[in-house]
């Protein structure tokens, strides 16, 4: 294979990873607008994000296994095609239920892209190049979710319609399909075994159960809501499914590829890295909701709120570059320690001291640098080192899925906390059915003392509502920092 074609094929894989990860974040710039257009609450509206991430988590191991069996090129092109069809259906959605189903189709198309691209790198490039390329791919996968709102804000400003956020995927997908058919080589995996469908089903049911329980939580009536069967019953069901999943993984037969290989489960470094990967997914979810925060906290219009993600976007890209350099010079674990510290400081400042847009821009850039370092090379290189060459593919796939699980569960939790914070609003005062409708009615009022009082009260309540989300991000960052220090102490 010619070097030019080899490099171009890699670019196409990275482009595929980018556009599918982009849709984790691009929707956030129009989340309030979409909720308003379908007349749904913030908690229900967030399912447009969580179903997408859940679909990606479920489809990742399935598509990865099918790609190893039938050919990575075939599955890559199929996945991109399905992603494009799903994007078109999302853009044409006549109802919220249709919108959710279309997002699920879109996610199944996007779910296998990252693992196929990673497998391509491992089968095509030598060991010296693999670490660097996998790190770059991990950075693209994470950062795309952050730059998504920026791009979404630009598209919204130019078109005025959220539907175009998804239509833009179609010409890019067509280009990748045509070019990929021409230059991507066909590769397959060796030593093929059955996929662990039972484990995958149990894990999916466990995630769904926790999502259902979180959706029914009410932060303003926390003790009362958690005592209801809709919450504790769902959580108990989730724990049972996760316990059955763990038992299943331990008893897996030799002819089946386990979802979590038992020989790796016994490795403390592997388990800790998987947990930290899950926490990094919860941080991505924070960035997905920041455009709504900027709109409802500082009064920025929905069509331009994503632009204020520029500091985070630039910080994330800078952090990914710094992280890659640090991994080469100081090792993956030391890079994780520094990135966890920066992320903790950045989110802490956002939670308690971002009283104006200037401070928000500075603090969010700092958080972005820490986040970018996390999303880049450190996790990929560390996991490859812990798992070894033999299990590196399945370990990286598990790391990707753990991040998707965090990204799936966190938005529902954040939206529930935020909606609970907004419970202080008297929606009936303006005959509004949800927070966004209440806010839009205030904006449509004629200028005067009453309008200013209502706006100032709304912004103050929004500050407290979103503060809970940023506090959760601080906790996740601290846990990543602690996990990194443990790994450093154990000399991984």
């Amino acid at each position: 294979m010619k070097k030019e074609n080899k490099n171009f094929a890699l670019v196409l894989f990275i482009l595929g990873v980018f556009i599918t990860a982009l849709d984790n974040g691009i929707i956030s710039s129009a989340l309030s607008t979409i909720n308003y257009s379908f007349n749904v609450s913030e908690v229900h509206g967030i399912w447009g994000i969580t179903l997408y991430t859940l679909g990606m988590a479920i489809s990742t191991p399935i598509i990865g296994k099918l790609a190893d069996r039938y050919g990575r090129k075939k599955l890559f092109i199929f996945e991109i095609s399905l992603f494009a069809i799903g994007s078109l259906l999302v853009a044409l959605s006549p109802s919220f239920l249709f919108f959710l189903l279309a997002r699920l189709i879109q996610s199944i198309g996007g779910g296998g892209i990252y693992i196929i691209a990673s497998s391509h790198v491992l089968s095509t490039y030598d060991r010296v190049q693999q670490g660097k390329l996998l790190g770059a791919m991990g950075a693209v996968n994470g950062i795309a979710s952050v730059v998504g709102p920026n791009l979404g804000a630009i598209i919204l400003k130019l078109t005025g319609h959220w539907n175009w956020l998804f239509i833009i995927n179609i010409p890019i997908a067509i280009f990748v399909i045509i070019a990929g058919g021409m230059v991507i080589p066909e590769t397959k995996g060796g030593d093929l075994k059955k996929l662990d469908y039972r484990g995958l089903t149990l894990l999916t049911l466990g995630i769904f159960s926790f999502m259902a329980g979180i959706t029914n939580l009410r932060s303003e009536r926390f003790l009362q809501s958690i005592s209801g069967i809709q919450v504790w019953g769902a959580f108990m069901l989730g724990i049972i499914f996760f316990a059955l999943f763990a038992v299943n993984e331990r008893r897996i037969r030799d002819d089946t590829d386990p979802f979590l290989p038992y020989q790796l489960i016994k490795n403390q470094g592997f388990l800790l890295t998987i947990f930290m990967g899950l926490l990094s997914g919860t941080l991505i979810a924070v960035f997905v909701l920041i455009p709504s925060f900027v709109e409802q906290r500082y009064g920025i219009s929905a069509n331009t709120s994503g632009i204020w993600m520029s500091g985070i976007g630039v910080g994330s890209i800078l952090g990914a570059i710094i992280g890659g350099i640090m991994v080469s010079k100081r090792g993956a674990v030391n890079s994780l320690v520094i990135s966890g510290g920066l992320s903790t400081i950045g989110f802490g400042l956002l939670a308690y001291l971002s009283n104006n847009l200037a401070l928000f821009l500075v603090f969010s850039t700092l958080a972005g640098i820490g986040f970018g370092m996390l999303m880049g090379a450190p996790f990929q290189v560390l996991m490859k080192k812990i798992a070894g060459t033999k299990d590196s593919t399945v370990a990286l796939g598990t790391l990707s899925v753990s991040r998707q699980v965090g990204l799936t569960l966190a938005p529902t939790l954040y939206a529930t906390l935020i909606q609970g914070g907004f419970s202080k609003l008297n929606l009936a005062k303006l005959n509004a059915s949800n927070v966004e409708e209440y806010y839009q009615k205030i904006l449509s009022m004629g200028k005067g003392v009453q309008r200013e009082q209502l706006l100032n009260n709304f912004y103050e309540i929004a500050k407290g509502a979103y503060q809970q989300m940023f506090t959760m991000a601080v906790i996740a960052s601290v846990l990543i920092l602690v996990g990194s220090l443990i790994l450093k102490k154990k000399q991984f």
Side-chain angles (χ1 to χ4, degrees), residues 453-467:
Q453 288 177 341
L454 287 172
L455 272 178
N456 289 334
N457 181 60
F458 183 88
Y459 295 149
E460 192 61 29
I461 289 175
K463 175 184 177 181
Y466 283 94
Q467 190 176 73

Side-chain angles (χ1 to χ4, degrees), residues 14-284:
I14 291 176
L15 185 57
V17 169
F18 180 77
I19 62 170
T20 53
L22 189 73
D23 271 38
N24 275 335
I26 199 169
I27 188 177
S28 64
S29 59
L31 195 58
S32 299
T33 306
I34 293 172
N35 293 346
Y36 185 64
S37 67
F38 289 123
N39 193 30
V40 296
S41 69
E42 289 73 15
V43 171
H44 289 102
I46 210 71
W47 279 74
I49 294 175
T50 54
L51 273 182
Y52 183 81
T53 55
L54 178 63
M56 291 188 76
I58 295 169
S59 59
T60 292
I62 296 175
I63 299 301
K65 176 58 64 176
L66 291 175
D68 285 344
R69 183 175 297 276
Y70 298 109
R72 297 179 182 119
K73 176 180 178 179
K74 291 187 185 72
L75 267 294
F76 178 74
I77 292 175
F78 170 78
E79 284 284 277
I80 292 291
S81 301
L82 188 60
F83 176 78
I85 292 169
S87 298
L88 180 62
L89 292 174
V90 171
L92 300 177
S93 296
S95 67
F96 187 63
L97 179 59
F98 190 98
F99 172 81
L100 292 179
L101 291 173
R103 281 287 281 174
L104 192 57
I105 292 171
Q106 191 190 26
S107 71
I108 294 171
I113 300 300
Y114 181 78
I115 192 65
I116 293 174
S118 298
S119 298
H120 171 80
V121 168
L122 290 171
S123 65
T124 309
Y125 291 85
D126 59 47
R127 292 183 183 179
V128 176
Q129 295 175 298
Q130 286 173 9
K132 179 174 63 177
L133 293 176
L134 288 173
M137 205 166 288
V140 168
N141 191 41
I143 292 172
S145 299
V146 179
V147 301
N150 295 77
L151 180 59
I154 294 171
I155 295 172
L156 273 175
K157 193 171 181 62
L158 292 175
T159 66
H161 298 282
W162 64 263
N163 314 72
W164 284 97
L165 301 179
F166 303 97
I167 294 175
I168 196 69
N169 291 330
I170 298 170
I172 300 173
I174 291 173
F175 167 74
V176 172
I177 292 166
I178 295 173
M182 296 170 61
V183 303
I184 293 177
E186 186 61 280
T187 60
K188 296 182 180 180
D191 190 24
L192 299 177
K193 298 181 180 180
K194 297 177 183 177
L195 183 64
D196 179 18
Y197 288 106
R198 184 183 300 170
L200 185 62
T201 301
L202 290 170
L203 179 63
T204 302
L205 291 173
I207 294 171
F208 256 128
S209 298
F210 270 93
M211 285 175 63
I214 291 170
T215 301
N216 288 300
L217 276 173
R218 296 291 178 268
S219 61
E220 77 281 8
R221 294 183 287 108
F222 183 78
L223 293 178
Q224 182 181 347
S225 64
I226 202 170
S227 63
I229 191 170
Q230 300 95 330
V231 176
W232 70 259
F235 285 163
M236 285 299 298
L237 196 60
I239 291 171
I240 290 171
F241 281 129
F242 283 137
L244 290 173
F245 168 72
V247 172
N248 177 79
E249 298 307 289
R250 185 170 184 176
R251 297 179 177 177
I252 210 81
R253 296 185 303 181
D254 291 337
D255 64 344
T256 303
D257 259 342
F259 197 78
L260 284 175
Y262 188 63
Q263 70 272 18
L264 291 179
I265 294 178
K266 294 184 291 184
N267 187 317
Q268 292 182 352
F270 173 80
L271 289 177
L272 190 53
T273 305
I274 290 299
F275 178 64
M276 290 163 64
L278 185 147
L279 292 173
S280 72
T282 68
L283 296 183
I284 298 176

Side-chain angles (χ1 to χ4, degrees), residues 332-349:
V333 175
N334 285 326
S335 300
L336 285 173
V337 170
I338 294 172
S339 60
L342 289 175
S343 183
T344 299
I345 295 169
F347 282 116
L349 292 171

